[in-house]
Structures are given as C-alpha cells and as structure tokens.
Amino acid sequence: MSYTPARRSFASRTLAMALAMAVLAPAAYSPFAHATGQLTGTPSGTTRNDESIRPFHVHVPQEQLDDLRRRIAETRWPDKETVNDQSQGIQLARVQELVRYWGTDYDWRKAEAQLNALPQFVTTIDGEDIQFIHIRSKHKNALPVILTHGWPGSPFEFIKTIGPLTDPTAFGGKAEDAFDVVIPAIPGYGFSGKPTGLGWGPERTARAWDTLMKRLGYKHYVSQGGDHGSVISDALARQAPKGLLAIHLNMPATIPGNLVRGINAGDAPPESLGAPEREAYQSLSTFFGRNAAYGALMVTRPQTIGYSLSDSPAGLAAWMYEKFAQWSDSDGVPERVLTKDEMLNDITLYWLTNTGASSSRFYWENNNNNFSADAQKTHDIKVPVAISVFPGEIYKAPKSWSQQAYPSLYYYHQVSKGGHFAAWEQPQLFAEELRDAFRPVR
C-alpha cells in the first residue's frame, strides 16, 4: 500500500486512507431543523455573508425520538459471529445489549439539557453554518483554546473537560492555568451545516477555525485536537495565522517516511528500531492490516456507507461502538471508561442530525495518511507543538519520531491512562496535560 493519491488504485490505497480519522435561539430559527437539513434557506434575517453570532438551542421534535425507538424495536439482526472474539467485528450480544438499552432506557432529553445548559451559538463562515459551544472563564487572562473532535466523536467528547479547563481552581489547578473554551462541530458533523459542495477538508476547516476565534474577539489562542482534530490543528499550524500561539495533539503524525511502506505491507520492523519505535511500528501495522477497513470505505465510498448509517440505528450504533471498544483504554470494554449514556449521546447525535454520510465525506475530502509525517507536512510547521501520548491510542508516538516529525516540538509527555478519546475518557488528566503543555506560551 503506497501513499500516492488514493483514487488511482483502490487496492493499493485502501488501508492507508483509513487513517483519516464536534441561550435560546430566535423563534424564527430552528437549529434542529437546520441540522437535519429541513431548513432550505438561511435563518430569518441572515445571509450567507452575515458574520453575526447567533444563540443556539437544541430541541428535537418528539416524533423523531418516537421514530427512533420504533426503528430500534424493528431491528433485523444478523446471525451470530462464528468466533469467540472481536476478530470478525463487534459481537452480536454486545451490540444487542447496547441497542436494547437505547430503545428502552436511554433518554435523549437529558443530553439536550446538558447541551442547553452551556452557551451555544452558530455563525456563518465561508458560506457554512458553524455551531459551537463557547465558555469564558471567570479567571483573568484565561488562554483561549479551540478543541476539535474527530470521528466517531463530537463536541460531547469535551463536555467533561469544560470545568477543569475554565475553572482550574475547583479541579486542582491554579487560576493562571485557566482557559476560555471554544468547541465547534466540524462541518458535516453535529449541528453544524452540511457542505453541499467540495472543499471542506482540513485546510478549509482550519481557516474557518481561525476566523471563528477572531470573530469571537480573540487576538491570541491555541488549538487542540485528536483524530480529525489533530489533522485540523496540523493544518492550522502550517497556515500559522497571526495569533496562533501553539497547538497540542493527542494523535500526532510522526511515522518517518522510510518506514511507511514497510508498515503498510506488514513487513517485520527493522532491527535498528528501539523498543518504543518497534512497538509503534507493530501497532500501526496491525491497525492497517486488520482494523482499518472502516476508514477505507468512508474515504472511497462515503455515500454508499451513508445509506446504512442513515437508515439503521443498529447499524450506526455498531459502526461507532466498535471504535469505542477498539480505541478506548478499556481492554475492549468501553463501558469501563464511558457510560452507555455517554456513548449513546454521541451515537444519537449522529442519528438525529442524519450525519452518517456527511461526516464520512470528511474522510473523502481529507484523502490522506493522518499518521505520516510526510503526508501531513509536519516539517513545514513552525508554530510551537505539544504532544501528549495516551497509552490506549491507536499507536503510541515515540519521542524520537515526534522530535523528528515536528521540529518545533517543545512539549512531549506520556500519560498514565486514556485512549483515543482522551478528553472523554480521562477529562482530568486531559485538562492537566493542556495546562502543562500550554503554560510556556501564555
């Protein structure tokens, strides 16, 4: 598998492309209708050139929740896997239990209340509505940070970090560690608009994030991301807009160029590699060889997988729950670090906004290897870079690779626990990492 443009050869690029891994409204504007594509025009009194920031409120019509439960009750299940592990995919019994709970005990209204307790807004940037959460700290000189989710995540990933970041004195930190927090949904995700044309990849999203932060009045800020968020933060750092002080990544692009081909091919690691590099090499090789087909499908055929994700609640839940199981620091049992309600808040957001296809298209737009230093052009980044390595991540980026990939790296730390969904799984540790990482650039 090579790193040449993906659509030249599906066979050679299938797995590499899998790396592509967020106050009440005016009465005339229904955010939920907009999010589900029912609003064909722009909010009353606004245009696509309007730079105003409008309050945002979530309320899902009851009939849509009733329809979801009906569909869950009418699920047609496949037969049981023929193995005793997850090698054929997430097991039938586990998905059935999650979906049973979804259809009987889960309450979306609690998730709505959680969101509506936060200051939510929407603004139009580059012709697309961007929905976001914005919380200002009560502490003086708080550092503005924009937090970017990935797939199969959403802004729900960061909700538990808001307290530790904005009010550190209540969570073991100091007032001078405080952040103002901005949590946007990537276009095509959550309650942001769904692009109807081409071009909404990492570069364009990064430019939109800079516009958003400056529209909010910030002259200086930092950016944080994992999964898609890391790719967007990398793009933002390459663009180096005035005011961007630093970026923090928890899924960095560090694979050296000379190792890409061997990792993709499943070759044995070179004898010259040390223990951390060998472990990373083998983790990535396993990922490419056994666990990356989901991404290959979304990179090459987002519309095709979109039909299933839009029509079957059980199919959507299984598609996402498998990644919670594989990528969390939980030995394959995500309920050890995330509650069923937390996972279903995220899954239900995708269902109710009908963003299975639109979120997949971000993979198609990105069409790149998100772990390759060369593909992400990390050597072009001059903005200061901080990296936190969580043990349950898809691969643990070695310090040697990180230093080689990011010449402006100034902070590197291996955390004791947490996985791909670091902020969601370990919000306190995640907040502590951001405090430590960004302290030098304040």
Side-chain angles (χ1 to χ4, degrees), residues 17 38 40-41 47 71 154 173 201 214 247 251 287 353 370 408 428:
M17 291 185 297
Q38 298 169 0
T40 56
T47 70
R71 288 170 180 264
S154 71
K214 288 172 179 169
I247 65 170
M251 196 198 79
F287 173 77
T353 56
N370 292 340
S408 57
Q428 180 66 25

Side-chain angles (χ1 to χ4, degrees), residues 198-344:
L198 301 178
W200 275 100
E203 299 287 341
R204 189 172 179 181
T205 305
R207 289 192 294 271
W209 278 192
D210 181 62
T211 298
L212 173 61
M213 295 302 281
K214 288 172 179 169
R215 190 171 292 179
L216 291 171
Y218 294 122
K219 296 181 179 179
H220 299 91
Y221 67 96
V222 293
S223 176
Q224 195 288 325
D227 197 87
H228 288 329
S230 69
V231 182
I232 292 167
S233 292
D234 272 345
L236 190 59
R238 288 194 302 271
Q239 294 166 6
K242 183 179 180 180
L244 178 64
L245 300 178
I247 65 170
H248 175 274
L249 311 170
N250 57 285
M251 196 198 79
T254 70
I255 304 176
N258 65 314
L259 298 179
V260 166
R261 186 178 297 276
I263 288 173
N264 291 341
D267 294 345
E271 292 294 330
S272 59
L273 295 184
E277 292 79 11
R278 181 179 294 266
E279 180 183 358
Y281 184 105
Q282 291 176 331
S283 295
L284 288 162
S285 185
T286 298
F287 173 77
F288 289 158
R290 299 191 61 85
N291 300 324
Y294 79 96
L297 187 55
M298 291 197 288
V299 164
T300 59
R301 292 295 184 270
Q303 190 67 22
T304 301
I305 189 59
Y307 298 113
S308 299
L309 301 180
S310 294
D311 190 62
S312 169
L316 176 68
W319 192 247
M320 297 173 65
Y321 179 69
E322 179 184 77
K323 300 312 168 196
F324 300 153
Q326 285 187 334
W327 296 346
S328 60
D329 187 21
S330 64
D331 292 325
V333 185
E335 290 83 356
R336 293 173 178 170
V337 293
L338 299 170
T339 67
K340 280 189 176 70
D341 283 348
E342 286 175 330
M343 290 185 282
L344 286 170

Side-chain angles (χ1 to χ4, degrees), residues 38-244:
Q38 298 169 0
L39 189 65
T40 56
T42 55
S44 178
T46 69
T47 70
R48 287 300 173 187
N49 295 320
D50 179 28
E51 297 184 358
S52 66
I53 295 173
R54 288 98 63 191
F56 187 94
H57 182 84
V58 180
H59 179 74
V60 176
Q62 184 60 41
E63 54 266 28
Q64 298 203 29
L65 300 178
D66 294 340
D67 175 71
L68 172 59
R69 286 200 165 185
R70 177 188 62 78
R71 288 170 180 264
I72 289 172
E74 295 176 355
T75 299
R76 178 185 177 186
W77 294 102
D79 54 317
K80 185 179 182 295
E81 64 278 356
T82 57
V83 293
N84 295 320
D85 55 28
Q86 297 187 55
S87 60
Q88 292 182 351
I90 198 72
Q91 298 100 320
L92 176 65
R94 297 179 64 186
V95 178
Q96 285 182 322
E97 170 55 26
L98 180 70
V99 173
R100 181 207 63 77
Y101 180 85
W102 195 12
T104 56
D105 299 333
Y106 172 75
D107 184 0
W108 166 257
R109 296 301 183 199
K110 292 181 180 179
E112 267 190 8
Q114 185 180 38
L115 291 174
N116 289 331
L118 299 169
Q120 300 178 90
F121 305 90
V122 64
T123 191
T124 305
I125 300 175
D126 194 10
E128 203 62 65
D129 281 350
I130 305 297
Q131 188 267 340
F132 61 98
I133 299 166
H134 181 206
I135 308 93
R136 293 186 186 273
S137 174
K138 66 180 181 181
H139 298 290
K140 293 182 179 180
N141 301 316
L143 178 64
V145 60
I146 185 165
L147 307 174
T148 309
H149 65 89
W151 182 92
S154 71
F156 273 119
E157 288 183 62
F158 297 110
I159 298 298
K160 292 184 291 186
T161 71
I162 291 173
L165 291 173
T166 61
D167 189 13
T169 57
F171 293 87
K174 301 177 181 179
E176 54 265 35
D177 291 327
F179 293 88
D180 285 353
V181 173
V182 179
I183 309 173
I186 298 170
Y189 285 74
F191 295 112
S192 282
K194 298 178 187 177
T196 56
L198 301 178
W200 275 100
E203 299 287 341
R204 189 172 179 181
T205 305
R207 289 192 294 271
W209 278 192
D210 181 62
T211 298
L212 173 61
M213 295 302 281
K214 288 172 179 169
R215 190 171 292 179
L216 291 171
Y218 294 122
K219 296 181 179 179
H220 299 91
Y221 67 96
V222 293
S223 176
Q224 195 288 325
D227 197 87
H228 288 329
S230 69
V231 182
I232 292 167
S233 292
D234 272 345
L236 190 59
R238 288 194 302 271
Q239 294 166 6
K242 183 179 180 180
L244 178 64

